[in-house]
Amino acid sequence: MYAIAVNGSPRVGGNTEIMLQEVLTPLKQNGWQTEQVTVGGTAIRGCVACYKCFENKNNQCVLNDNFNEIYAKLIKTDAMILGSPTYFAAVSADLKALLERAGLVAIANDNAFAGKIGAAVVAVRRGGATHAFDSINHMYQMSRMIVPGSTYWNMGIGRDKEEVKEDEEGLRNMRHLGAVIDWLGRATNCLQDEYPEG
């Protein structure tokens, strides 16, 4: 099984990246292929509502940036974990652009994300994390994805670089989230084996 973590923060080695690594750790330990990619700071632009994805139906967006490269990985994955810092009580602009475009291209291509596991991870200094968390989950829910829970909302507290390492509860929640994704991925695979027609 394959899981991808997408970092919506432009800060290398920052709190969002640390939390995503914590989620991936139990997956790696249980034999998943894992990968982390970054969209934060890459200037992925937002959707322009051209609807070419509905005309072309080729699982690609016509805008020319690195979106299609990341989207191709999302299509292959069994589980995606999208992470963001909290900027003005919302996700980062680059992650929002990815959500807009990936969600629409997937819907345009016969709901390409349907049945995949999707988890949201949010780094926050103080407030606004639940709105950012919900923003990610809304794309999952509109895409017919499976959204796992954990021991709390998937957020970690920290403003300064690596400060989230002091949030033991938050890190413990990330590891538990990874374990839940592992369990859910195995359960989903068993169902697909038993009922291959879906």
Side-chain angles (χ1 to χ4, degrees):
M1 289 182 285
Y2 171 52
I4 186 168
V6 179
N7 184 358
S9 173
R11 185 189 288 177
V12 176
N15 295 318
T16 307
E17 183 178 322
I18 291 166
M19 290 164 39
L20 289 170
Q21 284 298 334
E22 290 292 316
V23 178
L24 292 179
T25 296
L27 295 170
K28 288 184 220 173
Q29 291 169 344
N30 286 295
W32 286 60
Q33 177 191 350
T34 65
E35 182 177 4
Q36 186 170 155
V37 298
T38 298
V39 295
T42 61
I44 286 182
R45 65 180 297 175
C47 180
V48 297
C50 68
Y51 293 99
K52 291 292 185 185
C53 51
F54 282 87
E55 291 177 30
N56 298 335
K57 293 193 177 292
N58 61 356
N59 270 312
Q60 293 191 346
C61 178
V62 296
L63 298 180
N64 188 19
D65 54 23
N66 67 337
F67 167 82
N68 286 324
E69 178 184 335
I70 295 168
Y71 180 82
K73 294 172 189 270
L74 296 176
I75 287 294
K76 292 190 322 186
T77 194
D78 298 289
M80 62 181 81
I81 305 103
L82 304 184
S84 180
T86 304
Y87 290 165
F88 292 91
V91 295
S92 68
D94 291 322
L95 189 69
K96 180 66 168 83
L98 180 73
L99 289 169
E100 291 175 3
R101 289 169 65 189
L104 194 62
V105 172
I107 290 169
N109 287 273
D110 299 319
N111 295 295
F113 289 164
K116 293 184 183 296
I117 300 165
V121 167
V122 177
V124 64
R125 180 187 74 86
R126 184 171 298 274
T130 52
H131 178 70
F133 181 70
D134 288 344
S135 295
I136 298 169
N137 285 328
H138 291 160
M139 190 277 285
Y140 294 152
Q141 291 168 330
M142 290 178 67
S143 299
R144 305 180 186 181
M145 295 175 68
I146 302 164
V147 181
S150 189
T151 57
Y152 196 71
W153 292 281
N154 306 327
M155 61 183 71
I157 309 298
R159 181 189 68 183
D160 296 329
K161 194 171 181 178
E162 299 187 359
E163 190 175 351
V164 76
K165 289 181 178 179
E166 298 171 20
D167 180 12
E168 180 48 42
E169 180 184 7
L171 295 180
R172 189 167 56 248
N173 188 81
M174 296 304 123
R175 292 187 293 273
H176 184 264
L177 177 62
V180 171
I181 292 169
D182 175 56
W183 175 85
L184 190 53
R186 291 176 193 285
T188 303
N189 275 348
C190 287
L191 282 174
Q192 288 171 349
D193 291 343
E194 190 170 347
Y195 304 104
E197 296 304 313

